[in-house]
Amino acid sequence: MGFGAKSREGATARRTRIHVVSDVHGNTEALACAGDGADALVCLGDLVLFLDYADHSRGIFPELFGVENADRIVELRTARRYEEARDFGRGLWAGLDRDAAIVGAVRRQYAEMFAAFPTPTYATYGNVDIPDLWPEYARPGTTVLDGERVEIGGRVFGFVGGGLRTPMRTPYEISEEEYAAKIEAVGEVDVLCTHIPPDVPELTYDTVARRFERGSRALLDAIRRTRPRYAVFGHVHQPLVRRTRVGATECVNVGHFASTGRPWALEW
């Protein structure tokens, strides 16, 4: 798709189509088809499924501790009773090698998901990902970027992965200063690709979880200053709005791919 379009003069015009996904959370079957019809796939992270809040039987947590305990941890977190949730979790993990169990499960998920990536794929990390493991699974044709730029079809894409620190303490949360430095390193681009959204209330509010997720003020400032054509992101699974404009920039939540199975398409 995107090849062979005709101009008015009858010449063949080369068009580029990019598919963008985020928050894959274990949906390997849909991921394997996400690049169909596109020149490239862009993935904005959160490959790992630790616990599915819509189906408590899915993910690393219920595999280890069962659905009833998954129900309880979701109940506590949804009620923002984070200290109780941590205490409950510590009791479950007592006597177990937590790191070994999680890393082993994540490795199994990564093996399946990286094998499903089409060529070419350009990817960055989500807040629940473990960046140190990615080099082991990224095959030729998958380019991992974080605080870096790449040209795709004549347009410059910048990538910034991870999330900011929260009470959830997910694996790849970093300080505001470190995040801002990566935004600065990317500089001016046509398409700014991040896992988390800019700090705009309607983009950060999750209507199902009924809470604001953390967006980035540095990202918002960079959008206003550098004016990319698009800023694309995920992280907020059920946002109040999926797209809005910040100045000249179209800001788009590309969706919770784990539930929709549909990529967002960008074509020029």
Side-chain angles (χ1 to χ4, degrees):
M1 190 176 292
F3 291 86
K6 296 288 186 177
S7 70
R8 287 185 177 182
E9 291 77 18
T12 298
R14 174 70 170 90
R15 296 189 63 79
T16 300
R17 182 181 177 92
I18 306 297
H19 286 176
V20 189
V21 301
S22 186
D23 298 87
V24 178
H25 292 302
N27 192 345
T28 309
E29 183 177 356
L31 184 63
C33 304
D36 290 356
D39 296 296
L41 178 70
V42 167
C43 179
L44 304 182
D46 271 11
L47 301 183
V48 173
L49 179 61
F50 189 75
L51 175 57
D52 189 334
Y53 278 58
D55 180 354
H56 303 169
S57 68
R58 298 182 65 243
I60 295 170
F61 190 94
E63 286 176 12
L64 293 171
F65 302 117
V67 176
E68 288 187 5
N69 286 322
D71 290 341
R72 180 58 176 162
I73 203 82
V74 169
E75 177 187 5
L76 292 171
R77 288 179 176 177
T78 303
R80 301 176 180 82
R81 293 157 59 184
Y82 298 116
E83 286 299 330
E84 288 182 63
R86 278 193 283 274
D87 288 342
F88 181 70
R90 277 193 288 268
L92 295 176
W93 284 106
L96 298 177
D97 187 335
R98 178 189 177 107
D99 290 343
I102 290 177
V103 169
V106 170
R107 284 184 183 278
R108 290 191 291 273
Q109 291 187 11
Y110 279 168
E112 293 182 2
M113 283 181 282
F114 276 91
F117 277 142
T119 297
T121 291
Y122 302 89
T124 196
Y125 317 111
N127 60 290
V128 302
D129 286 311
I130 303 178
D132 288 347
L133 296 181
W134 280 36
E136 298 181 34
Y137 297 96
R139 305 174 303 167
T142 297
T143 302
V144 180
L145 304 114
D146 189 16
E148 299 165 282
R149 302 148 55 100
V150 67
E151 184 176 311
I152 309 173
R155 289 190 177 178
V156 179
F157 285 64
F159 290 78
V160 175
L164 297 174
R165 289 176 181 152
T166 71
M168 301 292 283
R169 299 182 183 177
T170 52
Y172 192 41
E173 294 181 355
I174 59 177
S175 69
E176 293 185 31
E177 293 76 16
E178 185 178 352
Y179 195 88
K182 292 196 293 185
I183 292 287
E184 185 67 23
V186 165
E188 294 186 11
V189 296
D190 297 304
V191 184
L192 186 50
C193 304
T194 60
H195 178 67
I196 63 173
D199 189 16
V200 175
E202 56 266 37
L203 296 175
T204 59
Y205 187 74
D206 190 304
T207 59
V208 174
R210 292 183 294 178
R211 65 169 181 259
F212 288 97
E213 303 289 353
R214 281 207 71 181
S216 169
R217 172 60 60 173
L219 173 57
L220 178 59
D221 291 344
I223 290 169
R224 288 171 171 162
R225 184 178 68 255
T226 65
R227 299 162 62 88
R229 297 183 190 213
Y230 292 93
V232 294
F233 47 86
H235 188 57
V236 183
H237 293 176
Q238 296 89 198
L240 189 61
V241 299
R242 294 207 171 270
R243 59 195 304 162
T244 191
R245 296 194 72 84
V246 173
T249 302
E250 187 78 8
C251 297
V252 183
N253 183 317
V254 300
H256 181 205
F257 187 74
S259 64
T260 69
R262 296 188 302 273
W264 183 76
L266 177 61
E267 189 170 7
W268 65 91

